[in-house]
Amino acid sequence: MKMNHVGIMVGDMDKAVEFYTNALGLKVVMGNTKVEEERETAIGRMCIAVFGEGFKGFNIAHLVTTDGIGVELFEMKERQERHEVDFSRLGIFHFCLQTDDFEGVIARTEQFGGKVRMDIMRYHPEDDSKQAKMVYLEDPFGNLFELYSHTYEETYASDYE
C-alpha cells in the first residue's frame, strides 16, 4: 500500500494555495478549478455521491509534495469559517509532513497565516545521538498538521541512530 493523496477543506483557495506552496513547499499540479453540482459527467456524479445532493459546488486545487504525495484543497461554497478539531470524535485529525528545513517551515507557517500549536519536541531527549524532532502546527484554516525532522521509521525505530 502506498499513500496517494489527502484532501483538506480550506476557507479561501487563493490563501490556501499560497500557504501550501510558499510555507510548506508543495507544487501546484492543477490550479484553482471550479466544480459545479451536475449529473452529466462522471466527476459530477461522483461529487454528488460524496458530498450529497445540494452541495452547491466548490473550488479544488491539486498540489504535490516533493515525494509525490498529492494534496487536494477543497473550498466549498457553503462552509464553516474555521475548522475546529473535536478530539472526542473518531476519524483522521491530522496529517504529517517531513522536512530538512524544520525551523524554516515553522517560521514560514506563521509568516503565511498558520499557527504553532506547541513547543518543538524531541522524541528521545535523553539520547543526543537521536535528533528526531516534531511539532504540531495549523494551516490558516485550523487544519492540524504535524512536522517531522526525520522519517517515520527513523523517529520510531528502537535501533535508530
Side-chain angles (χ1 to χ4, degrees), residues 58-160:
F58 57 89
N59 293 321
I60 188 169
H62 296 270
L63 287 70
V64 68
T65 64
T66 57
D67 61 343
I69 305 301
V71 174
E72 290 179 334
L73 301 176
F74 292 84
E75 177 190 26
M76 304 303 286
K77 285 188 177 178
E78 293 183 359
R79 64 188 184 280
Q80 293 180 6
E81 285 305 309
R82 185 169 168 81
H83 177 73
E84 296 298 334
V85 178
D86 180 354
F87 295 107
S88 68
R89 295 187 63 206
L90 297 178
I92 296 170
F93 76 92
H94 77 277
F95 61 95
C96 185
L97 299 171
Q98 177 192 328
T99 183
D100 293 331
D101 184 17
F102 197 78
E103 284 76 16
V105 170
I106 293 168
R108 287 189 302 278
T109 293
E110 291 182 306
Q111 176 187 351
F112 287 96
K115 179 180 172 185
V116 178
R117 296 266 312 207
M118 60 180 283
D119 291 335
I120 295 169
M121 188 184 95
R122 281 191 46 213
Y123 273 99
H124 307 280
E126 71 288 345
D127 187 345
D128 286 336
S129 69
K130 296 180 180 182
Q131 297 298 314
K133 296 182 284 189
M134 65 78 63
V135 66
Y136 271 92
L137 307 166
E138 289 182 14
D139 73 4
F141 314 101
N143 293 303
L144 283 178
F145 66 98
E146 198 171 4
L147 187 65
Y148 275 20
S149 62
H150 289 69
T151 68
Y152 191 79
E153 201 168 8
E154 289 171 327
T155 300
Y156 294 105
S158 58
D159 61 351
Y160 160 63

